[in-house]
Amino acid sequence: MQNQPRSEPCSDMPAEDKANEEKAKTMTVSPQNDGLIDSEAARAQMEQIVADGGGNAADFKVRGQILLLLKDILQTGRQRAEQLLSEDGMGIYCAIRLSYLEDEIIRLIYRFAIERVFPVENPSSSERLAIAAVGGYGRSTLAPHSDIDLLFLLPYKQTPWGESVVEYILYMLWDLGQKVGHATRTLEECVRLAKSDITIRTAMLEARYLDGEKALFDELIEKFDKSVMRGTSAEFIAAKLAERDARHDQQGDSRYMVEPNIKEGKGGLRDIHTLFWIGQYAYRVRRARHLIEAGVFTDEEYRRFRKVNNHLWTVRCHLHFVANRPEERVSFDVQRELAERMGYKSHPGQSAVERFMKHYFLVVKEVGEITRIFCAALEEDFGKQAPGINRFFAAIPFRRRKIRDAHGFIVDHGRLSVVGEEVFKDNPVNMLRIFELADRENLSFHPDAMHAIRHNLRLIDQDLRTNKEANAIFLRILTSRGDPENVLRRMTEAGVLGRFIPEFGRIVAMMQFNMYHHYTVDEHLLRAVGILSEIEKQRLNDEHPLASELVPNIYDRVVLYVAVFLHDIAKGRPESHSPAGARVAQELCPRLGLNEEQTEQVAWLVMEHLTMSQVSQSRDLADRKTILDFCNVVQTMEQMRMLLILTVVDIKAVGPGVWNGWKGQLLRTLYSEAEPILTGGHSQQSRDAREARAKEKLRHRMESRDPATIEAYLNLHYSAYWLRTDADSAAEHADLILKADANGDKVATAIKTYEFEGITEITILAPDHPRLLSMIAGACSAAGANIVDAMVFTTTDGRALDTILLEREFEEDRDERRRANRVVDLLVQVLKGETRLPPLVSQKESHKNRFQTFRPRKKVTVNNDLSNQSTVIEVEGLDRPGLLSALTRTLSALNLDIQSAHITTFGERVVDAFYVTDLTGAKITNPDRRLMIETQMREALTGEADPKNPVQPR
């Protein structure tokens, strides 16, 4: 195989990767061998082993020594490949080298088998065998721990000799520790199976001769071309593109998942392989560069194809070496080491691992663009044979027509296009107008139009950015009542949005190295705009009832849309992104045409976009001071309405399962508590009225019970319970408590699963005790259940009603219920004193988990200003199994009474707030005791406290 030409570094490529490419340009050694294996020396050693063994190559001891020799050759070759990868940074070369190493080992084994172990002096016509590499191995590329796919090709039916040779080769490879996919077939079987099975056909498409009867292999390729491929291109194209779409759905249909699958994910290597399979099949090419001659790619596009292919292979090879197994997911626990191995350096505001992942996402974005170019060529050449062969450019039999009031723009086969690149050169504003037209006319883009846009990105300069008409067009796109998310995404993928709004360009493909955010920053913002549009169209009423109710009453929807678009615009800077984002808004909004008042509103929303979620999730909403402090920040009803909607779309756009009904209820409670204060009403009267309404709803649901029971139950709960509990939960709690009373049960539990939200709710009724929450948390930890939220209530008769939300473990509801029942059984045993908790907790807490790769700040604060009745202890740090148990156990050992607990999890990071008093019900005011609390809670947070020797308060 010839050296593959190297690509020029692109402008988006980080300096570290450019340096690797510049270093690689100076290399003159073939990327095939590069000193990985000396086949002649290996053959001589094998012959010497046979001679030393008495000349019997089939001897068991001889075979064992041959195996040891090959193992050493394989290990040494892989180490050499890893060393070269570290030196030149070229993953595609590493894959070629490893493929060559494997080729030579297989040839050594095959030749040894037929010449020394199973020699045949005069082989018959049936005693012929060809070995071919198929599948990915057939492309002459191999990742360090990838499977080896082999085809043993026979002219006719299997013979004892052929069976012995194949068996010998396979057992040697297996004993070398390799995973081998293999098939032994005749010529006719290969052709027949390839006709009926697309997977086999694809594997055969990349068949590559390794050793044996070359004429037999050539006959297979000729038969495959004539009998299988001829006349079936459209069928194959449609099948592979459908297969790709199904794979994307399974992996999560986004290129911007923060733990991407480099092989199967959208924009990964499998997408590149799919393009090449189709190119081989449809255009009869054996090398990717031949797609230039076929008119599919220009020279520049082919260079981009090579570049992204090399980068993905580089990441994949490093990943396999790091994991020491065929790992394909670029998970958090390997990202930091991959970044270090590939030479990425930290910059102010962005760590090395975040820069590494940003480059990765730029590459998969490029794969998407190359896919669109490729599919455009397919439609041009094969659309008539297979209408609708892909979901990007479905062939629609419309004639070309001009668009009214849009000079230079046309509709070509149902898609928006341009009469020529002069449309943009004559008037650069058209670089934005084309996207507004796509939204207005509900049209997809013709590939010619996208090609023209990409070629004219340089027209988006400072003059265009300050052009009033261009900014007005962008603002109309952003606030469109059509599908603003889709249009903005196409602008991003075309490179327009990042150039027109440079502040947005800085966060394109930027990831945040944490487990809370599922997407890159730009993808998060676009999804947030899309969710806001869906709420405005009243399509999410059931999931977000309050936001859906408020959005029609927003005075200025432009302010809201711009704030949503900008709320995370300053991520990746050294300073906090909220105030930095507010400054961006103050500079950008006037350019977009917003007046001074609108600009101030947007800047305020960006500054405070985290406030409502933080207060609702980590503060006691039954504490009057919490509400008053929140109102002092919000100040007006209009600002609170917009802030609530922004908060909802922000949380919802973080990723699947992050939003849940619990968070919605907390936001609605905070809104309801603040509303009467902001409207000039009397808060206490409103609270009394809402408490009365909550009781009345429950009274109506309990009407089948006798009035005395109803009244006694309604007096069982304090005011905080009625203000923080929705009607359905209150009814379920009533059934639980009354049933426990009737049965005389001191401890009662209930389980509720939420499949969509990915959580399981466990409610526990038990006698109140200062250590109760600690015991519950410890039991959950011992059972391997991760608490993501908790709500604590005390009844007037001295019992506790605690609700714990657990992270869901199983997809199937019945499996999750069985798991929850096991957790409940352990809880009940602990609460009844039937089992001892500390050994169980200690056992679970000894295990490390993948969270250890993160380094969030560790912080403990003891604050007396957040509540008039309680001291608030806030703990922020790295989550781990048993953390909540350790924290609550420490609080109990410090003789502190937990009034309420607010457990908030942001991926690997927790922010837990505990409202506590001393055992007399007073705040903690003594400075020495506050310092001791901070010290002991920090030890519990970091895992340094000894659970067997709890702290003794002074």
Side-chain angles (χ1 to χ4, degrees):
M1 181 178 292
Q2 297 176 350
N3 286 9
Q4 293 206 16
R6 302 186 186 278
S7 56
E8 298 298 322
C10 67
S11 59
D12 287 331
M13 185 182 293
E16 299 88 347
D17 214 62
K18 292 180 183 178
N20 282 338
E21 287 219 1
E22 290 300 321
K23 187 193 303 180
K25 286 181 182 179
T26 65
M27 295 173 55
T28 58
V29 181
S30 164
Q32 287 185 311
N33 192 342
D34 279 346
L36 270 69
I37 182 172
D38 185 338
S39 299
E40 290 303 319
R43 285 193 187 92
Q45 288 176 283
M46 293 169 77
E47 288 297 328
Q48 187 61 51
I49 289 171
V50 173
D52 293 345
N56 184 6
D59 182 74
F60 182 77
K61 289 184 178 179
V62 170
R63 182 189 182 279
Q65 290 180 308
I66 295 291
L67 182 64
L68 287 175
L69 172 65
L70 294 177
K71 278 186 176 179
D72 182 64
I73 291 172
L74 181 61
Q75 182 179 359
T76 302
R78 284 180 172 172
Q79 289 172 347
R80 173 64 176 160
E82 185 174 7
Q83 176 192 348
L84 291 170
L85 175 64
S86 177
E87 291 174 1
D88 63 41
M90 297 294 287
I92 189 65
Y93 276 21
C94 181
I96 293 170
R97 290 166 182 141
L98 290 170
S99 175
Y100 179 83
L101 173 65
E102 195 65 48
D103 291 352
E104 291 301 294
I105 287 176
I106 290 172
R107 291 185 184 115
L108 285 170
I109 296 172
Y110 171 71
R111 288 293 166 183
F112 187 76
I114 65 171
E115 294 171 3
R116 304 293 292 169
V117 185
F118 306 106
V120 179
E121 291 187 7
N122 297 306
S124 66
S125 60
S126 62
E127 289 177 321
R128 293 190 299 151
L129 174 69
I131 306 176
V134 293
Y137 181 33
R139 285 189 299 274
S140 297
T141 53
L142 196 65
H145 291 280
S146 287
D147 298 355
I148 302 156
D149 295 319
L150 296 174
L151 171 66
F152 297 98
L153 182 62
L154 307 171
Y156 315 113
K157 66 180 181 180
Q158 179 66 282
T159 64
W161 174 84
E163 188 173 359
S164 298
V165 171
V166 169
E167 185 178 272
Y168 186 87
I169 294 171
L170 290 175
Y171 273 100
M172 287 293 283
L173 292 173
W174 288 332
D175 289 345
L176 284 171
Q178 297 185 300
K179 188 175 180 181
V180 185
H182 63 95
T184 304
R185 298 187 181 116
T186 66
L187 279 171
E188 295 305 320
E189 285 174 332
C190 287
V191 172
R192 175 170 52 82
L193 291 171
K195 285 181 178 179
S196 61
D197 190 311
I198 287 290
T199 301
I200 293 176
R201 194 186 308 183
T202 305
M204 291 286 300
L205 181 66
E206 299 186 290
R208 177 173 60 87
Y209 172 76
L210 284 178
D211 210 336
E213 295 287 335
K214 182 66 162 58
L216 186 60
F217 177 81
D218 292 341
E219 187 178 352
L220 171 65
I221 298 303
E222 184 180 355
K223 284 180 176 289
F224 183 76
D225 186 71
K226 290 180 179 179
S227 303
V228 179
M229 294 177 65
R230 188 164 297 175
T232 60
S233 293
E235 170 198 345
F236 183 82
I237 293 168
K240 298 315 290 184
L241 290 175
E243 183 182 281
R244 178 204 60 186
D245 289 347
R247 173 168 45 81
H248 288 172
D249 289 340
Q250 183 180 11
Q251 291 292 324
D253 193 21
S254 173
R255 294 184 181 88
Y256 309 110
M257 305 291 286
V258 292
E259 289 188 291
N261 188 309
I262 195 168
K263 181 180 178 183
E264 304 290 347
K266 192 171 186 178
L269 279 166
R270 186 67 82 198
D271 279 6
I272 291 179
H273 298 161
T274 298
L275 297 187
F276 189 52
W277 291 331
I278 293 172
Q280 283 182 286
Y281 206 101
Y283 298 102
R284 298 295 195 275
V285 298
R286 296 294 294 176
R287 301 291 298 278
R289 67 164 62 94
H290 297 155
L291 292 172
I292 301 175
E293 300 167 14
V296 176
F297 288 147
T298 63
D299 287 343
E300 183 228 345
E301 289 161 352
Y302 173 63
R303 283 196 298 271
R304 290 161 57 193
F305 177 88
R306 274 203 333 251
K307 190 177 299 177
V308 298
N309 188 47
N310 175 65
H311 186 82
L312 292 176
W313 268 109
T314 304
V315 176
R316 190 185 186 203
C317 288
H318 278 299
L319 178 59
H320 279 214
F321 282 127
V322 167
N324 198 30
R325 63 179 187 275
E327 179 61 65
E328 307 298 350
R329 186 167 294 280
V330 188
S331 55
F332 289 121
D333 46 352
V334 297
Q335 288 176 10
R336 199 183 295 276
E337 186 171 354
L338 291 177
E340 184 178 344
R341 287 172 69 106
M342 293 179 66
Y344 289 86
K345 306 297 181 184
S346 296
H347 283 190
Q350 200 171 15
S351 66
V353 66
E354 288 171 334
R355 295 186 68 238
F356 157 65
M357 289 305 297
K358 176 169 184 174
H359 188 201
Y360 176 87
F361 291 122
L362 287 171
V363 166
V364 297
K365 175 176 173 283
E366 184 83 342
V367 173
E369 181 62 26
I370 291 170
T371 298
R372 276 185 284 276
I373 294 168
F374 190 87
C375 289
L378 289 179
E379 184 200 1
E380 186 73 24
D381 296 333
F382 297 95
K384 293 181 180 178
Q385 301 174 43
I389 57 176
N390 66 80
R391 66 190 181 95
F392 292 108
F393 307 119
I396 306 172
F398 290 165
R399 294 178 303 168
R400 288 167 61 98
R401 64 176 176 84
K402 294 182 179 180
I403 301 178
R404 186 176 59 186
D405 300 327
H407 178 70
F409 295 98
I410 57 173
V411 177
D412 187 354
H413 289 79
R415 291 158 305 175
L416 181 60
S417 191
V418 291
V419 295
E421 294 192 14
E422 295 75 18
V423 170
F424 301 127
K425 293 175 181 177
D426 294 344
N427 186 2
V429 173
N430 285 332
M431 293 287 285
L432 283 96
R433 182 173 287 114
I434 188 172
F435 293 96
E436 184 181 25
L437 285 172
D439 181 56
R440 189 187 79 188
E441 303 289 332
N442 193 26
L443 293 169
S444 60
F445 290 91
H446 194 283
D448 290 349
M450 299 304 290
H451 188 80
I453 291 170
R454 188 178 182 92
H455 274 227
N456 287 280
L457 287 175
R458 66 186 182 281
L459 297 175
I460 305 177
D461 55 13
Q462 190 60 25
D463 288 341
L464 185 62
R465 294 186 195 107
T466 55
N467 183 287
K468 288 186 177 180
E469 184 181 8
N471 281 283
I473 289 173
F474 173 74
L475 195 59
R476 290 198 295 269
I477 292 171
L478 174 61
T479 60
S480 167
R481 296 185 185 273
D483 188 359
E485 178 187 0
N486 182 53
V487 178
L488 290 171
R489 180 168 283 109
R490 294 311 306 270
M491 291 179 72
T492 302
E493 292 173 349
V496 171
L497 186 51
R499 290 182 71 95
F500 187 69
I501 309 288
E503 297 85 354
F504 188 86
R506 291 181 62 174
I507 53 95
V508 168
M510 177 186 290
M511 76 160 289
Q512 301 164 77
F513 189 61
N514 60 60
M515 293 181 65
Y516 179 61
H517 292 90
H518 293 225
Y519 305 108
T520 56
V521 181
D522 57 320
E523 178 72 3
H524 167 71
L525 292 180
L526 299 183
R527 285 175 179 261
V529 170
I531 293 166
L532 173 58
S533 179
E534 292 291 288
I535 290 175
E536 190 177 32
K537 293 168 185 170
Q538 301 295 306
R539 292 176 179 172
L540 300 176
N541 296 27
D542 293 338
E543 191 174 358
H544 306 294
L546 181 56
S548 300
E549 177 187 331
L550 295 178
V551 74
N553 300 321
I554 295 298
Y555 174 74
D556 192 340
R557 62 186 295 275
V558 170
V559 167
L560 184 56
Y561 270 90
V562 175
V564 168
F565 177 69
L566 296 180
H567 74 272
D568 277 348
I569 198 75
K571 283 287 181 75
R573 304 189 184 203
E575 66 270 43
S576 173
H577 76 283
S578 294
R583 290 195 296 274
V584 170
Q586 288 171 334
E587 295 173 3
L588 182 61
C589 288
R591 196 195 103 184
L592 296 179
L594 276 66
N595 60 35
E596 184 177 349
E597 182 181 354
Q598 289 175 311
T599 298
E600 289 303 316
Q601 285 276 11
V602 171
W604 182 86
L605 284 167
V606 174
M607 170 69 82
E608 303 294 342
H609 75 272
L610 297 175
T611 297
M612 201 163 190
S613 61
Q614 289 173 343
V615 172
S616 65
Q617 295 178 48
S618 62
R619 296 289 176 260
D620 189 346
L621 303 184
D623 190 309
R624 179 174 172 78
K625 192 170 190 308
T626 296
I627 308 304
L628 291 174
D629 289 346
F630 174 69
C631 290
N632 285 336
V633 174
V634 176
Q635 297 183 342
T636 70
M637 279 300 300
E638 178 67 9
Q639 291 194 152
M640 185 168 72
R641 280 191 288 265
M642 289 193 292
L643 187 58
L644 180 131
I645 296 169
L646 172 55
T647 303
V648 168
V649 300
D650 185 17
I651 298 174
K652 177 77 173 173
V654 166
V658 175
W659 174 268
N660 57 46
W662 185 278
K663 292 175 182 175
Q665 177 63 28
L666 293 175
L667 285 172
R668 288 191 292 273
T669 299
L670 176 57
Y671 183 91
S672 299
E673 289 290 320
E675 182 178 23
I677 299 175
L678 294 174
T679 56
H682 300 286
S683 177
Q684 191 57 48
Q685 290 181 5
S686 172
R687 291 164 68 94
D688 291 344
R690 288 193 298 108
E691 180 180 343
R693 284 197 298 272
K695 288 183 177 181
E696 189 57 35
K697 287 181 180 179
L698 185 57
R699 181 183 282 110
H700 178 71
R701 293 196 181 202
M702 297 175 66
E703 60 184 5
S704 60
R705 300 181 183 271
D706 67 272
T709 300
I710 295 174
E711 290 307 314
Y713 181 80
L714 294 178
N715 292 324
L716 193 62
H717 296 289
Y718 292 105
S719 177
Y721 174 84
W722 299 109
L723 296 174
R724 294 169 59 189
T725 307
D726 63 88
D728 290 338
S729 297
E732 292 164 1
H733 294 165
D735 290 339
L736 176 68
I737 293 173
L738 293 176
K739 184 179 179 181
D741 291 345
N743 295 334
D745 297 331
K746 289 187 176 181
V747 177
T749 61
I751 297 170
K752 193 173 182 181
T753 59
Y754 296 86
E755 183 176 359
F756 178 77
E757 291 84 358
I759 58 173
T760 295
E761 177 185 287
I762 296 178
T763 303
I764 306 106
L765 175 70
D768 195 18
H769 187 279
R771 298 178 185 268
L772 178 60
L773 183 58
S774 176
M775 295 167 70
I776 292 172
C780 289
S781 173
N786 184 36
I787 297 176
V788 296
D789 216 334
M791 185 175 288
V792 180
F793 294 114
T794 303
T795 61
T796 57
D797 62 357
R799 289 183 288 182
L801 182 68
D802 294 353
T803 299
I804 309 296
L805 292 185
L806 304 179
E807 184 178 9
R808 191 179 177 105
E809 184 173 332
F810 296 100
E811 289 186 8
E812 292 292 330
D813 213 47
R814 60 178 180 272
D815 295 333
E816 180 62 17
R817 279 195 161 276
R818 278 196 291 269
R819 197 272 299 224
N821 278 316
R822 290 196 297 271
V823 175
V824 165
D825 290 343
L826 180 57
L827 271 172
V828 172
Q829 290 175 25
V830 170
L831 294 177
K832 289 183 177 181
E834 297 173 359
T835 187
R836 294 187 62 188
L837 182 59
L840 295 172
V841 174
S842 177
Q843 179 184 7
K844 282 291 177 182
E845 289 181 348
S846 66
H847 295 285
K848 291 185 177 181
N849 62 14
R850 65 197 295 256
F851 286 2
Q852 295 303 315
T853 192
F854 299 100
R855 300 161 191 170
R857 66 175 182 173
K858 300 177 180 67
K859 184 179 179 183
V860 176
T861 58
V862 180
N863 195 314
N864 278 323
D865 297 328
L866 296 174
S867 171
N868 290 330
Q869 289 81 34
S870 304
T871 295
V872 179
I873 301 173
E874 193 164 47
V875 178
E876 180 180 353
L878 184 69
D879 195 11
R880 71 172 193 273
L883 175 60
L884 181 59
S885 172
L887 295 175
T888 52
R889 196 164 63 250
T890 300
L891 291 174
S892 297
L894 286 162
N895 290 333
L896 296 174
D897 192 6
I898 301 174
Q899 303 298 310
S900 67
H902 308 274
I903 316 302
T904 311
T905 305
F906 302 96
E908 80 288 349
R909 185 172 65 94
V910 294
V911 180
D912 296 346
F914 303 94
Y915 282 65
V916 303
T917 64
D918 63 20
L919 297 183
T920 68
K923 284 186 176 185
I924 314 302
T925 56
N926 183 284
D928 290 340
R929 192 171 185 204
R930 289 176 58 183
L931 179 61
M932 183 180 64
I933 292 171
E934 287 183 9
T935 301
Q936 298 299 337
M937 289 295 282
R938 189 175 293 109
E939 289 179 356
L941 173 64
T942 58
E944 297 172 0
D946 185 356
K948 296 180 181 178
N949 298 294
V951 60
Q952 296 297 324
R954 286 182 281 181

